[in-house]
Amino acid sequence: MTVQVRRPVEPEWERWRDLRLQMLADTPEAYAETLETARTLDEAEWRFRVRRTWLPGSFTVVGVEEAGGPADRWVGTMGAYTDPVEGVFLVSVFVDPAHRGGGLADRLLSEVLTWARTAAGASGVKLHVHERNVRAQAFYRRRGFVENGVRVPYVLDAAEEELEMELLFERPPAIVPGAGPA
């Protein structure tokens, strides 16, 4: 079966919910929410979560394993949002264990970075990775992200920390009018 990468739409809220629950079960320390909390959310909240993925300043893509019908299953997601002070943040990163190592995470990241490079004023992308999530840390390091020395308390347990990593976009050199070769 093939996996296509595309943006989600609100009518797919149930697939969004199922993937989010799978994410929280697979890597609980990676998200600022517990599986127990997510299980209590109603349909209106899940619909809102899908809807906000295309609000201005945010971008989300999903990997869909296509079976050719209603059995199509979401197997990965990656998103970003623009913080007015901090810039573009990468969030909700997940690839189903059966699809890891097959390039899906790279395809998702590529889509998000393509969007981020067009975001007004964006100079790069930041993300927070739980101190114990070494798999994610290694993934981002291999793709050019570096730790910037910032540590933030983990939302669910302030005794733990998340590392801030960032990828800065290369900018072409500024052209100064009237300046010629030296």
Side-chain angles (χ1 to χ4, degrees), residues 15 25 42 48 62 107 123 147 155 157:
R15 290 182 184 168
D42 63 10
F48 169 75
V62 293
R107 289 171 57 201
S123 59
E147 290 181 41
V155 176
D157 184 351

Side-chain angles (χ1 to χ4, degrees), residues 28-107:
E29 73 276 358
Y31 308 102
E33 166 179 58
T34 65
L35 180 60
E36 294 74 26
T37 301
R39 285 182 173 153
T40 66
L41 302 176
D42 63 10
E43 178 179 334
E45 178 63 23
W46 287 113
R47 284 183 179 274
F48 169 75
R49 286 174 173 220
V50 176
R51 192 178 315 120
R52 74 180 180 194
T53 64
W54 68 77
L55 291 174
S58 68
F59 182 85
T60 298
V61 287
V62 293
V64 182
E65 183 178 59
E66 296 186 332
D72 290 355
R73 189 170 72 93
W74 288 10
V75 294
T77 184
M78 190 172 291
Y81 71 93
T82 306
D83 180 276
V85 176
E86 296 288 337
V88 179
F89 262 88
L90 204 61
V91 293
S92 297
V93 177
F94 177 73
V95 173
D96 180 274
H99 290 81
R100 290 181 185 146
L104 178 56
D106 285 316
R107 289 171 57 201

